[in-house]
């Protein structure tokens, strides 16, 4: 799979998100854990080995920790701190290391800019101690982009996580150009519109022009479109189905999407969504 630089860390361009799909708020049953483990197995088999989590996602960190146990070095793990206060932040961050079963976390992000100043300071200390690879911030609301860009300019982060898909292109205006200028990695959340871009379409998209690239599904067309912007580092579609991990990962081995196909997919989205 193609690799791009996430603030200096080479990562495969298709990874895995775990909001909703790994988001249980009770101890998972054996079957629930087994399904998630098969999703993680499929990540490894298909090269989508960058996995994003958060304490917000219930049992996600614990299940990732269990599913990657004994093979931690074959994955890149990203998680977040999502709490206010210095001591609470320290405790939550320590929990993430424990639940993920690791002493090194590749990407640690401040989730939704919650108490950013306080949490960044602690993440910076951990990075200096060699326990964190890249520090980032995330938000799902485009109204936070000014704040995100101020943090980008501060030189304190190597990655951002923001939404980007065919119906949410706000980041193209200023955030992606700034990320490129500063060499900051871009993790794309919600690349399939949390599923809304693939479910309940008005019409069936015609993907015939993409078939010669081995693109066989509309979800693949949407993900390839996202990666068609070279300022994007990694897209993290979430899925609860192991077979879809491989389907999604396929586009990470394709060449950059030709401009005319990007236009075409955009027009198909307009016709079918
Ligand atoms: N503030 C933040 O930091 C923040 C906010 C939002 C998201 N995120 C991160 O970004 C990740 C991705 O966003 P998301 O989970 O909201 O949405 P998404 O990845 O855009 O969409 C996920 C949905 O798409 C479906 N799907 C996946 N692959 C598919 C395929 N090949 N064909 C058809 N359907 C497919 C999944 O259903 P199935 O399970 O049935 O496959 C799931 O319902 C999150 O999981 C999380 O890690 C971060």
């Amino acid at each position: 799979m193609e690799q791009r630089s996430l603030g200096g860390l080479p990562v495969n361009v298709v990874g895995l998100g775990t909001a909703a799909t790994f988001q249980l708020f009770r101890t998972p049953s054996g079957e629930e854990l087994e399904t998630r483990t098969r999703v993680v197995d499929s990540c490894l088999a298909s090269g989508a080995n960058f996995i994003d989590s958060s304490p917000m996602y219930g049992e996600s960190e614990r299940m990732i920790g269990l599913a990657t146990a004994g093979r931690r070095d074959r994955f890149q793990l990203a998680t977040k701190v999502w709490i206010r206060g210095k001591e609470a932040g320290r405790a939550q961050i320590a929990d993430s290391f424990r639940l993920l079963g690791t002493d090194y976390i590749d990407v640690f992000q401040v989730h939704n800019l919650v108490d950013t100043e306080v949490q960044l300071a602690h993440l910076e200390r951990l990075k200096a101690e060699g326990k964190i690879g890249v520090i980032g911030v995330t938000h799902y609301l485009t109204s936070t982009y000014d704040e995100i860009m101020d943090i980008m300019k501060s030189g304190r982060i190597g990655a951002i996580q923001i939404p980007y898909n065919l119906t949410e292109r706000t980041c193209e205006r200023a955030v992606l150009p700034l990320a490129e200028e500063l060499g900051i990695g871009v993790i794309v959340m919600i690349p399939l519109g949390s599923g809304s871009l693939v479910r309940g379409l008005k019409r069936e998209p015609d993907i015939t022009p993409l078939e010669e690239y081995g693109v066989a599904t509309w979800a693949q067309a949407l993900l390839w479109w996202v990666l068609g912007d070279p300022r994007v580092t990694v897209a993290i579609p979430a899925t609860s189905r192991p077979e879809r991990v491989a389907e999604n990962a396929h586009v990470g081995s394709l060449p950059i999407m030709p401009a005319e196909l990007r236009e075409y997919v955009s027009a198909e989205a307009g016709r079918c969504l």
Side-chain angles (χ1 to χ4, degrees), residues 16-24 36 63 238-241:
L16 181 79
T18 63
T21 50
F22 281 51
Q23 192 165 329
L24 291 179
R36 269 69 177 197
M63 287 195 282
T239 182
S240 52
R241 307 191 200 189

Side-chain angles (χ1 to χ4, degrees), residues 204-246:
E204 188 63 28
D206 176 8
I207 55 167
T208 313
L210 287 73
E211 284 172 353
E212 64 175 291
Y213 293 92
V215 170
T217 67
W218 178 234
Q220 288 178 325
L222 293 169
L223 292 172
W224 193 24
W225 181 91
V226 167
L227 296 175
D229 191 313
R231 298 168 297 189
V232 164
T233 311
V234 51
I236 51 166
T239 182
S240 52
R241 307 191 200 189
E243 67 280 8
R244 283 187 171 166
V245 175

Side-chain angles (χ1 to χ4, degrees), residues 16-21 52-53 57 80 111-112 138-140 161 188-195 198-199 217 219-220 236-241 244 247-248:
L16 181 79
T18 63
T21 50
D52 180 68
S53 189
Y57 309 156
K80 313 185 187 97
H111 198 151
N112 287 347
T138 82
H139 214 297
Y140 67 100
Q161 186 180 148
V188 169
M189 63 167 77
I190 322 179
L192 300 173
S194 297
V198 269
R199 285 193 284 265
T217 67
Q220 288 178 325
I236 51 166
T239 182
S240 52
R241 307 191 200 189
R244 283 187 171 166
E247 176 187 332
N248 296 343

